Amino acid sequence: FVFLADLARQITVPVNVDFMAITRYGAGRRGGAVRIEKDLDIAVTGRDVLVVEDIVDTGLTLGYLVKNLGARDPASLAVCALLDRRVRRLTKLPLRYVGFEVPDRFLVGYGLDQRERWRNLPHLAALPDQETAPTGP
């Protein structure tokens, strides 16, 4: 949401903003099923859609999202990511806009968190190696 707010202020054409909440659960961090916890309130049929992500990692959840939104018949569908951790990618993704490619480090700040901490930092920071593996599914 932090990146989206800054991005929206730079877009010069009229925009509508909506949010989805998506989770991947079961089979560890790299597998499992994807579930939409909160869907869009605005229909995307016939509209130009830009999916905005803070960071793209394995791509599994985003791949599901792109397929799901594509089935809703938008006029166009593109993905914009501030950070691309391509080294961990498990699936091919259509990333149209990428801010930075980042190494395989756990990053916090500028909206990114670790267990709900450090999300409000005004900059990005890499956690020390001993804190790179978040717990839980």
Side-chain angles (χ1 to χ4, degrees), residues 91-135:
T91 186
K92 187 173 179 163
L93 290 172
L95 301 182
R96 177 155 319 151
Y97 309 102
V98 174
F100 305 94
E101 187 171 343
V102 294
D104 192 13
R105 297 285 307 274
F106 199 86
L107 304 173
V108 295
Y110 197 63
L112 299 172
D113 74 293
Q114 184 210 30
R115 295 185 208 119
E116 299 302 322
R117 296 186 314 180
W118 301 307
R119 186 183 303 272
N120 61 327
L121 290 175
H123 57 273
L124 290 167
L127 291 181
D129 286 339
Q130 66 269 20
E131 297 188 60
T132 59
T135 60

